Amino acid sequence: MSILKQKTLSKPIEFKGVGLHTGEKVKMKIFPSAPNSGIAFKRIDLKYNNLVIPNVYNVVNATLCTTISNEFGVKVSTIEHLMAAMYVLGLDNALIELDSQEVPIMDGSAKNFVDMIMATEFEVSDIPLKFIKMEKSVSIYKDSKFIKIDKSNITLDIDFEIKYKNPLIGTQQNKVSVYQDDLTDTLNSRTFCLYEDIAKLRKAGFAKGGSLDNAIVVKDKEILNDEGLRNDLEFVNHKILDCIGDIYLSGYKLIGSIKCSQGGHSLTNELLREVFKDKSNFSIFELKEKSLPHSFINKPLLKSIA
Ligand SMILES: [Zn+2]
């Protein structure tokens, strides 16, 4: 079996849960789909115009979560943790049906998606994977925030930093190499919020499904969840998870090196739009076994591509 061919699931899998922001119950099913079809969402609660494709230009709101919309205004929101799980596990083609607007939040991380996808066999096609390889540096600076992407050899590195006034979160930084590192901590890291923001969020119509079962809540120097943190860098690790999910809206695996300080869904999307503005910023290619570097085969790496 080639690790560089496009993959899909061998059979459908189902999730039930609640939308973090809508608070609505949602059933979601991930179906296998054909090579080169990529990821597509289908709102089965609607009869018409219900296909919504996750791509860079379909992001209509990226304030609290990533929301995509089709040309008819039909939306799917909070797609980022599921997108990250599919990226990391190498699920290239899938049709995702859901009966509500929002992807279920599950436990606030990508853990449940990862567990279920990993428990299902993959079907490997004969069609090679496609990659976007950065050829130039692109960056976005906004006040004290920034995100930039440089070229890399064959890796996707994400170096992320957050700076919070809250003393418990404070400044955290972590760097992962997406195709080489063990990403368990990244994938298991939950979304988080400050206790004092909950009332504001609810008043604005968000976080209606939020609870201690699907988000870390921080009040001053205390974590309100009984079980505490899952790993020491859970806050920044979750931001890395979001970043991976948002990058998958580019449609292909990415080869580049990202550095981000205090960014989030919007900034990642702005970066990708900037990258795609100029064709000389990147190239798209199929990675064939014959063109692999000597060291490649020997490494038990590229788990996510595999
Ligand atoms: Zn998130």
Side-chain angles (χ1 to χ4, degrees), residues 64 78 80-81 105 108 189-192 238-239 241-242 265:
L64 294 167
T78 318
E80 57 271 18
H81 307 157
I105 188 66
S189 289
R190 293 159 295 170
T191 192
F192 59 95
H238 185 80
K239 300 293 280 188
L241 173 73
D242 282 342
H265 306 301

Side-chain angles (χ1 to χ4, degrees), residues 210-227:
S211 76
L212 291 172
D213 291 332
N214 56 35
I216 309 166
V217 181
V218 181
K219 189 180 182 187
D220 302 321
K221 286 184 180 170
E222 202 189 338
I223 289 166
L224 300 188
N225 310 62
D226 287 341
E227 71 274 30

Side-chain angles (χ1 to χ4, degrees), residues 102 203 236 252 255 266 272 303:
E102 194 173 9
K203 218 175 156 189
V236 73
Y252 299 131
I255 292 176
S266 298
L272 290 177
K303 266 184 303 189

Side-chain angles (χ1 to χ4, degrees), residues 14-18 26-28 104 106:
E14 188 176 300
F15 300 89
K16 279 180 197 159
V18 65
V26 51
K27 240 195 258 174
M28 181 176 84
M106 311 311 287

Side-chain angles (χ1 to χ4, degrees), residues 40-261:
F41 288 91
K42 191 176 178 186
R43 288 271 307 270
I44 56 164
D45 54 323
L46 304 173
K47 262 195 172 145
Y48 307 105
N49 306 323
N50 55 1
L51 211 60
V52 191
I53 307 298
N55 78 40
V56 170
Y57 305 104
N58 283 349
V59 175
V60 286
N61 193 326
T63 325
L64 294 167
C65 63
T66 299
T67 301
I68 50 170
S69 169
N70 65 16
E71 59 192 303
F72 307 100
V74 173
K75 295 186 174 93
V76 179
S77 54
T78 318
I79 62 169
E80 57 271 18
H81 307 157
L82 173 63
M83 291 296 284
M86 294 190 293
Y87 189 108
V88 170
L89 298 175
L91 188 53
D92 307 294
N93 302 295
L95 174 69
I96 302 154
E97 287 190 357
L98 62 175
D99 64 358
S100 176
Q101 183 192 296
E102 194 173 9
V103 170
I105 188 66
M106 311 311 287
D107 70 349
S109 76
K111 187 179 186 311
N112 298 98
F113 300 134
V114 169
D115 289 348
M116 283 282 279
I117 294 170
M118 277 181 68
T120 311
E121 259 180 60
F122 276 20
E123 207 163 275
V124 186
S125 72
D126 289 330
I127 311 297
L129 283 176
K130 291 188 180 67
F131 290 83
I132 297 168
K133 188 178 190 314
M134 291 306 298
E135 302 291 355
K136 286 182 184 167
S137 296
V138 177
S139 53
I140 308 256
Y141 286 82
K142 274 198 173 167
D143 305 320
S144 59
K145 302 176 182 180
F146 73 84
I147 187 163
K148 61 175 184 170
I149 184 161
D150 292 306
K151 2 189 219 184
S152 79
N153 285 332
I154 198 165
T155 57
L156 170 61
D157 300 319
I158 302 178
D159 185 338
F160 211 106
E161 176 190 56
I162 54 170
K163 288 180 183 173
Y164 274 70
K165 280 190 189 130
N166 176 282
L168 191 133
I169 304 174
T171 296
Q172 285 195 343
Q173 181 269 336
N174 199 11
K175 183 180 177 181
V176 300
S177 191
V178 176
Y179 308 135
Q180 297 174 61
D181 290 351
D182 178 349
L183 295 180
T184 309
D185 281 350
T186 312
L187 294 163
N188 286 353
S189 289
R190 293 159 295 170
T191 192
F192 59 95
C193 73
L194 298 173
Y195 178 78
E196 59 265 34
D197 289 339
I198 295 174
K200 277 183 257 169
L201 282 169
R202 293 241 162 103
K203 218 175 156 189
F206 297 104
K208 287 179 196 161
S211 76
L212 291 172
D213 291 332
N214 56 35
I216 309 166
V217 181
V218 181
K219 189 180 182 187
D220 302 321
K221 286 184 180 170
E222 202 189 338
I223 289 166
L224 300 188
N225 310 62
D226 287 341
E227 71 274 30
L229 292 178
R230 291 180 176 176
N231 60 75
D232 289 345
L233 296 174
E234 189 164 2
F235 303 110
V236 73
N237 283 340
H238 185 80
K239 300 293 280 188
I240 293 172
L241 173 73
D242 282 342
C243 188
I244 297 171
D246 289 334
I247 279 168
Y248 201 11
L249 276 89
S250 63
Y252 299 131
K253 300 272 180 199
L254 188 63
I255 292 176
S257 180
I258 293 173
K259 201 170 161 92
C260 181
S261 179

